[in-house]
């Protein structure tokens, strides 16, 4: 996805959305189009370091060697809410002259997980403020159904190829993020050099997996009774964390709980002999609104494969082990350490799954 053709006609453009690589590429294209390669009338500011008055002051400066003055404001979410930030600057974006071209970029912030909801709310507020000011909002969000095709387009662009298996591994390891997938393809291309094909083994060796992927691997290992692999994934997840409880409660437990629920739904699909993409209405009523049917195809296949070896009683045992582990970490049951609690939970789950 690139910026629309009418972007240069706007006085203010907000580049938003969760796909960082697409947003970054759009910014580069937009600056190139606006400045025609001459950066004399281009200024870049960082929100929070520069006030909104400075943004507007720079944008209102008469251009010298080009028809428009281009001002880029990065890390927009570090600024105050638009209601506070725009107070005292007249009528806001409507005050910008025709010679001004203000580009706001809602860059991804890497603060604590608990702050992400705040940033999400701020992004929505700025999007509304820009639209209300007759500006243009370009939001970069990926479609899970189109990720594989988008990655194939990138591979064609750099004259490389990957098998469907390797592509699915890449998508899994990057958490279904198109931006991360594109970045990892760049790394993989450098890794294989002149070789025309990027293999599945290359992906597993080079790509930095998301934490969610490690939880998926841990769950798969538990279901398969692979103790060594399950414990290995736990140590990857929390082994070097100074405060492992934060990672456990914010990422591991929620993802593991979701996986167990998805396995329960997959088991129901198998029992009713239906595919997750074709669940009848009578069965769908027993599933949550965002259930297995809303998962990407590659994840549905993985869940259906894992569910073939598990029963409802075994899943109930896994839920109990997860509940007990949470109680131990919260002090309701005796425990030694966070790592020991996770390892104990994993061993209990493997014991439950291994029962006949």
């Amino acid at each position: 996805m690139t910026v629309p053709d009418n972007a240069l006609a706007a006085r203010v453009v907000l580049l938003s959305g969760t796909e960082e690589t697409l947003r970054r590429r759009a910014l580069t294209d937009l600056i190139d189009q606006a400045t025609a390669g001459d950066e004399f009338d281009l200024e870049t500011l960082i929100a929070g370091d520069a006030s909104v008055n400075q943004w507007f002051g720079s944008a209102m400066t008469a251009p010298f060697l080009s028809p428009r003055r281009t001002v880029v404001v990065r890390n927009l979410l570090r600024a105050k809410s638009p209601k506070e930030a725009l107070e005292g600057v007249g009528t806001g974006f409507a005050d910008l002259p025709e010679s001004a071209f203000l580009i706001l970029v809602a860059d991804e912030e890497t603060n604590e997980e608990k702050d992400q909801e705040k940033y999400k709310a701020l992004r929505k507020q700025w999007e509304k403020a820009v639209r209300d000011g007759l500006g243009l909002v370009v939001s970069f969000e990926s479609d899970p159904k189109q990720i594989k095709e988008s990655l194939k387009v990138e591979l064609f662009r750099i004259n490389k190829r990957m098998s469907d298996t390797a592509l699915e591994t890449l998508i899994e390891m990057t958490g279904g993020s198109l931006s991360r997938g594109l970045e990892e393809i760049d790394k993989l291309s450098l890794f294989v050099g002149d070789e025309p094909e990027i293999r599945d083994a290359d992906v597993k060796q080079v790509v930095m997996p998301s934490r969610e992927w490690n939880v998926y691997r841990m769950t798969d290992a538990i279901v398969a009774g692979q103790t060594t692999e399950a414990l290995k994934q736990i140590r990857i997840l929390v082994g070097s964390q100074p405060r492992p409880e934060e990672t456990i409660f914010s990422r591991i437990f929620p993802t593991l709980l979701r996986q167990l629920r998805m396995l329960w739904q997959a088991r129901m699909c198998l029992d009713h002999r239906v595919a997750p993409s074709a669940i009848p209405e009578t069965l769908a009523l027993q599933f949550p609104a965002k259930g297995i049917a809303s998962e990407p195809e590659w994840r549905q296949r993985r869940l259906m494969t894992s569910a073939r070896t598990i029963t409802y009683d075994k899943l109930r045992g896994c839920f109990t082990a997860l509940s007990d582990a949470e109680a131990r970490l919260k002090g309701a049951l005796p425990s030694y350490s966070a790592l020991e609690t996770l390892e104990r939970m994993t061993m209990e789950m493997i014991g439950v799954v291994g029962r006949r």
Side-chain angles (χ1 to χ4, degrees):
M1 178 179 180
T2 58
V3 292
D5 294 335
N6 64 338
L8 290 178
R11 298 182 190 180
V12 56
V13 175
L14 169 58
L15 303 180
S16 186
T18 57
E19 287 293 350
E20 182 181 6
T21 299
L22 301 184
R23 197 171 57 239
R24 188 169 61 246
R25 289 183 178 183
L27 175 61
T28 300
D29 291 343
L30 198 53
I31 290 175
D32 287 345
Q33 292 178 46
T35 64
D38 186 351
E39 298 186 356
F40 186 85
D41 280 305
L42 169 68
E43 184 173 9
T44 300
L45 304 171
I46 303 297
D49 294 342
S51 68
V52 176
N53 283 326
Q54 288 175 283
W55 310 355
F56 276 67
S58 180
M60 290 178 175
T61 300
F64 180 58
L65 295 176
S66 62
R68 303 188 74 182
R69 169 76 172 173
T70 302
V71 177
V72 179
V73 179
R74 303 296 303 267
N75 300 100
L76 176 66
L77 304 184
R78 297 181 188 179
K80 300 176 182 177
S81 68
K83 182 178 180 180
E84 296 177 88
L86 296 173
E87 187 177 1
V89 288
T91 56
F93 297 121
D95 285 346
L96 292 172
E98 291 186 7
S99 62
F101 188 42
L102 181 61
I103 306 173
L104 306 176
V105 189
D107 288 298
E108 182 177 341
E109 300 294 339
T110 56
N111 291 54
E112 299 288 341
E113 184 76 17
K114 58 184 175 61
D115 292 330
Q116 295 309 309
E117 285 301 316
K118 177 188 72 175
Y119 290 128
K120 181 179 179 180
L122 271 176
R123 187 167 64 243
K124 295 298 181 184
Q125 292 172 27
W126 277 104
E127 288 175 358
K128 182 179 185 303
V130 170
R131 290 192 182 100
D132 290 347
L134 303 181
L136 177 67
V137 175
V138 186
S139 185
F140 297 95
E141 307 285 354
S142 63
D143 181 351
K145 296 180 180 179
Q146 297 297 321
I147 287 179
K148 184 183 286 189
E149 291 306 313
S150 298
L151 294 177
K152 285 182 178 180
V153 169
E154 180 70 7
L155 288 166
F156 179 79
R157 186 184 71 82
I158 63 173
N159 198 29
K160 297 291 184 186
R161 64 174 183 269
M162 293 176 70
S163 67
D164 283 345
T165 299
L167 269 172
E168 289 181 4
T169 300
L170 174 62
I171 293 170
E172 285 186 49
M173 293 185 72
T174 55
S177 167
L178 177 57
S179 287
R180 286 209 58 213
L182 293 171
E183 291 173 354
E184 294 296 341
I185 281 179
D186 287 342
K187 286 167 53 179
L188 287 162
S189 178
L190 292 172
F191 178 75
V192 300
D194 294 333
E195 291 293 325
E197 182 175 3
I198 300 172
R199 302 169 301 164
D200 187 57
D202 299 326
V203 175
K204 292 177 179 176
Q205 182 176 351
V206 173
V207 173
M208 178 66 69
S210 66
R211 287 191 175 276
E212 287 76 12
W213 186 79
N214 290 117
V215 180
Y216 298 149
R217 290 275 292 176
M218 183 182 78
T219 308
D220 290 343
I222 288 172
V223 173
Q226 298 171 348
T227 305
T228 302
E229 179 63 22
L231 295 178
K232 172 187 172 183
Q233 295 305 322
I234 285 177
R235 292 192 174 274
I236 291 174
L237 286 161
V238 302
S240 60
Q241 297 293 321
R243 292 184 291 181
E245 289 82 359
E246 291 187 4
T247 299
I248 292 170
F249 284 116
S250 66
R251 290 182 179 271
I252 298 178
F253 278 179
T255 306
L256 180 55
L257 178 60
R258 178 175 173 78
Q259 280 295 97
L260 293 175
R261 286 173 172 169
M262 290 294 176
L263 283 171
W264 190 288
Q265 294 169 41
R267 183 68 256 178
M268 292 182 70
C269 288
L270 288 172
D271 290 346
H272 287 79
R273 300 178 183 277
V274 297
S277 58
I279 299 174
E281 186 176 353
T282 52
L283 184 59
L285 292 173
Q286 303 178 50
F287 288 177
K290 290 187 177 180
I292 192 171
S294 63
E295 291 293 297
E297 183 183 354
W298 57 267
R299 192 168 291 165
Q300 290 178 353
R301 288 200 300 271
R302 177 65 64 85
L303 289 164
M304 293 294 281
T305 299
S306 297
R308 295 181 189 280
T309 61
I310 203 164
T311 65
Y312 297 118
D313 283 341
K314 291 178 179 180
L315 282 169
R316 273 191 287 268
C318 289
F319 280 117
T320 299
L322 176 58
S323 177
D324 288 347
E326 182 180 16
R328 290 189 182 96
L329 288 175
K330 291 181 176 178
L333 290 175
S335 65
Y336 177 68
S337 68
L339 181 59
E340 179 271 338
T341 298
L342 274 185
E343 290 178 339
R344 178 174 178 175
M345 176 198 73
T346 302
M347 298 300 292
E348 288 175 352
M349 287 182 176
I350 291 175
V352 168
V353 170
R355 293 175 190 164
R356 294 185 178 181

